[in-house]
Amino acid sequence: MAKNFSFTLSITILILLLPTPIIGNVHSFSRSLSMETFGHKSEKVSHLQFYFHDIVSGADPTAMRIAASAVTNKSKTGFGFLVMVDDALTVSPDPNSKLVGRAQGVYGSADKNVFGLLMMMNFAFTEGSYNGSTLSLMGRNEVFAGVREMAIVGGTGVFRFSRGYAQAKTYKMDLNTGDAVVEYNVYVVHF
């Protein structure tokens, strides 16, 4: 019994002491880091309010259709259309008010029963301490509902590691042209 124990102990020690190259190279594609590694200590919540100007008419539209399905023009909701945007974000509903950034991305009709859009875009900020930073939004926007909520799924710059939500409320919509001004209230957790 003592001989067995001694043999088992010897094998265990030998295995534990074997250098990695003999066992084989161990590679990992990930590792855990603390937020302090990035200089982040505590999170804060910021509230941003701005107005989104979606201009589809005129000589210089900021939103234009880039694709449609075979059923789009027959659908009561325009199901299947896709629009690329580079819309102004301003501090007030007045399009001539201070520009704070651009909404850049796509939205498309994703509902066959009500006018519901799938929104995927970045809010690219150009003003103040947020200059050069972005927030990424993704979610459902049922256009004719009072207030719509969409997810903030990330960001860059001062919004790196961010998360939160955006509430959209139509301020003005011209049903003849399709142009709209939408108030956004964005609540974001970031470092």
Side-chain angles (χ1 to χ4, degrees):
M1 182 161 157
K3 194 174 183 182
N4 261 350
F5 176 75
S6 177
F7 176 75
T8 303
L9 181 61
S10 297
I11 293 296
T12 303
I13 291 172
L14 181 62
I15 290 173
L16 291 174
L17 294 178
L18 280 175
T20 303
I22 292 175
I23 295 174
N25 291 330
V26 178
H27 295 284
S28 176
F29 71 94
S30 69
R31 60 187 172 132
S32 295
L33 301 171
S34 71
M35 291 310 288
E36 286 80 20
T37 304
F38 301 99
H40 300 306
K41 294 190 184 197
S42 62
E43 293 179 311
K44 59 186 167 220
V45 178
S46 293
H47 171 220
L48 294 84
Q49 181 186 39
F50 48 82
Y51 291 82
F52 172 99
H53 299 266
D54 197 45
I55 309 302
V56 297
S57 69
D60 191 23
T62 61
M64 59 180 42
R65 185 181 288 199
I66 58 171
S69 74
V71 301
T72 296
N73 293 332
K74 298 174 193 165
S75 167
K76 67 180 181 180
T77 64
F79 179 72
F81 76 75
L82 191 61
V83 173
M84 183 69 66
V85 303
D86 183 15
D87 290 343
L89 302 176
T90 62
V91 296
S92 83
D94 179 353
N96 298 313
S97 64
K98 186 176 189 175
L99 182 73
V100 295
R102 311 284 307 177
Q104 298 169 329
V106 294
Y107 61 76
S109 178
D111 193 314
K112 293 171 99 175
N113 299 306
V114 298
F115 195 53
L117 303 176
L118 170 61
M119 308 278 288
M120 299 168 291
M121 60 185 57
N122 291 315
F123 296 134
F125 297 102
T126 58
E127 187 58 38
S129 61
Y130 302 138
N131 185 20
S133 298
T134 66
L135 287 171
S136 297
L137 172 135
M138 185 172 178
R140 175 180 166 74
N141 182 353
E142 191 176 321
V143 175
F144 295 112
V147 176
R148 293 86 71 190
E149 186 171 297
M150 291 161 274
I152 297 296
V153 296
T156 64
V158 299
F159 295 121
R160 194 176 294 141
F161 295 113
S162 66
R163 64 199 182 284
Y165 67 97
Q167 292 179 323
K169 182 179 178 185
T170 302
Y171 178 82
K172 177 174 73 170
M173 178 181 266
D174 184 328
L175 294 176
N176 293 321
T177 64
D179 294 349
V181 177
V182 181
E183 176 186 358
Y184 271 83
N185 281 283
V186 178
Y187 300 88
V188 61
V189 178
H190 62 104
F191 290 96

